[in-house]
Amino acid sequence: MKYEGIVYRPPSEAYSLIIQVTIGCSHNKCTFCNMYKSKKFRVRKIDDVIKDLIEARRNYKCVKRIFLADGDALILKNEELKKILVKIQELFPECERIGIYGSPKNILRKTVEELRELKQLGLGIIYLGIESGSDEILKCVNKGVSSSEIVKAGKKVVSSGIKLSVMIISGLGGKEKWKEHAEESARVLNEIDPDYFALLTLLIHPETQIYEDIKAGKVELLNPNEIMIETKHLIKNLKLTNCVFRSNHASNYVALGGVFPKDKEIILKELEKAINEKYDYKDEHYRRL
């Protein structure tokens, strides 16, 4: 098995076999993200990916889940992805789900029919980073897409039958745009109506542009209680029909979880409790990846 650099995966892929299909992220310009700054993006040779799969088969008796890294593996043409998925089926018949990160642009490059082909070959979940539903915030953080493009990409995955897991970053709009961030993110989530929704909280890394913006006074961060107020406003505006919600990432001040819509009021009560009582928020030292 050959890994290049630090390898990231969603929390729900903690026990998955991770296979690097690409190195880095094809966009790699978001102002808040340092995950792939040390990597120059490229697609690995399919033969090398297959060699890793063969080696993993020799080393592991049972593999239930496989995650295709790095940040943008869905950029591969369908024919290339299909070769990888077919090999996984051949080598790991016990595998129950294959996951992958998908940027909005790379989802939009595929047709619904192409996504359905991938589903038939075992691709079970796509992780889509929305970050914010606000077009102004998306522009500020250099996401490279609009909210309408994100909605279109999300709906395309849902239509294909592949499970969709989306992510919003609490506090991304700072103190100036917290309400816009909450309301517009809720709007985008409602339009997409994903299967899974994860809420992370903004972490600041010194080697990112947003760190420089904060030092220059262009962005003022929310404190933990303000994050809870923003989160409550977002949750209050959600109208999801059947979505698993998690806010238990290492970056979060408070662990939350449930299923929408049935647990919405329970989650709001937990947030109200955190806002109005002297809550023992997680120390900043422990808010790390």
Side-chain angles (χ1 to χ4, degrees):
M1 300 287 292
K2 296 178 178 65
Y3 293 111
E4 183 172 324
I6 298 173
V7 179
Y8 296 92
R9 47 82 184 160
S12 58
E13 301 289 346
Y15 300 103
S16 301
L17 167 64
I18 299 177
I19 299 292
Q20 274 184 309
V21 174
T22 63
I23 305 299
C25 170
S26 63
H27 180 61
N28 207 21
K29 295 175 183 177
C30 294
T31 65
F32 56 86
C33 181
N34 76 327
M35 288 166 61
Y36 304 108
K37 297 302 182 187
S38 63
K39 298 180 181 183
K40 183 177 180 180
F41 179 77
R42 71 179 190 278
V43 176
R44 292 186 69 207
K45 294 179 180 179
I46 300 300
D47 287 347
D48 289 338
V49 174
I50 290 175
K51 285 178 184 176
D52 280 353
L53 289 168
I54 293 170
E55 184 178 346
R57 178 71 289 176
R58 287 198 300 263
N59 291 329
Y60 301 109
K61 291 181 179 180
C62 183
V63 174
K64 295 293 186 180
R65 291 186 177 184
I66 294 175
F67 180 71
L68 304 180
D70 269 336
D72 225 355
L74 200 67
I75 197 172
L76 270 69
K77 293 179 181 179
N78 248 43
E79 290 308 309
E80 294 172 326
L81 273 172
K82 283 161 67 176
K83 288 177 184 177
I84 295 169
L85 296 175
V86 167
K87 197 64 179 179
I88 289 173
Q89 283 189 335
E90 175 191 325
L91 292 172
F92 303 93
E94 76 278 15
C95 183
E96 297 171 352
R97 191 182 77 182
I98 302 166
I100 196 170
Y101 281 130
S103 70
K105 285 184 177 179
N106 289 324
I107 292 170
L108 291 175
R109 288 190 180 103
K110 297 194 182 298
T111 65
V112 174
E113 289 71 27
E114 285 177 319
L115 290 172
R116 285 174 179 161
E117 279 185 323
L118 299 178
K119 180 180 184 294
Q120 289 297 316
L121 292 173
L123 185 62
I125 189 167
I126 293 176
Y127 297 89
L128 168 63
I130 294 174
E131 330 305 1
S132 176
S134 161
D135 283 314
E136 187 175 350
I137 294 171
L138 289 170
K139 185 176 180 180
C140 286
V141 301
N142 201 17
K143 178 68 176 175
V145 289
S146 66
S147 65
S148 62
E149 289 174 303
I150 290 172
V151 169
K152 188 176 179 181
K155 284 185 171 181
K156 182 175 281 189
V157 175
V158 172
S159 296
S160 75
I162 297 173
K163 297 292 184 182
L164 177 66
S165 180
V166 301
M167 182 188 70
I168 299 288
I169 302 177
S170 294
L172 192 60
K175 291 194 177 185
E176 182 184 352
K177 300 183 179 74
W178 76 266
K179 195 170 185 180
E180 177 182 343
H181 178 49
E183 292 178 353
E184 289 300 288
S185 295
R187 174 187 63 81
V188 167
L189 286 165
N190 290 337
E191 288 189 50
I192 296 173
D193 202 13
D195 301 284
Y196 302 93
F197 161 40
L199 187 63
L200 280 63
T201 304
L202 182 63
L203 286 170
I204 303 301
H205 300 279
E207 62 269 33
T208 57
Q209 181 58 48
I210 200 168
Y211 175 80
E212 300 300 325
D213 292 341
I214 291 165
K215 285 206 308 182
K218 295 179 182 179
V219 177
E220 188 177 0
L221 295 177
L222 300 177
N223 64 40
N225 213 56
E226 289 168 335
I227 290 287
M228 295 302 105
I229 292 170
E230 178 190 87
T231 302
K232 181 186 173 185
H233 200 63
L234 186 155
I235 299 296
K236 187 177 179 181
N237 283 280
L238 289 179
K239 299 175 182 177
L240 305 174
T241 61
N242 185 25
C243 179
V244 176
F245 167 66
R246 291 289 181 267
S247 183
N248 57 358
H249 186 260
S251 65
N252 297 124
Y253 289 107
V254 177
L256 300 167
V259 178
F260 285 97
K262 74 179 183 70
D263 295 326
K264 179 176 177 178
E265 293 305 317
I266 295 172
I267 295 166
L268 287 171
K269 286 178 182 178
E270 285 294 314
L271 287 163
E272 192 69 33
K273 181 180 178 182
I275 292 166
N276 294 324
E277 299 181 10
K278 290 184 178 180
Y279 199 88
D280 187 19
Y281 291 114
K282 185 189 293 183
D283 188 275
E284 292 295 329
H285 177 75
Y286 298 106
R287 292 181 62 243
R288 298 182 180 185
L289 292 179

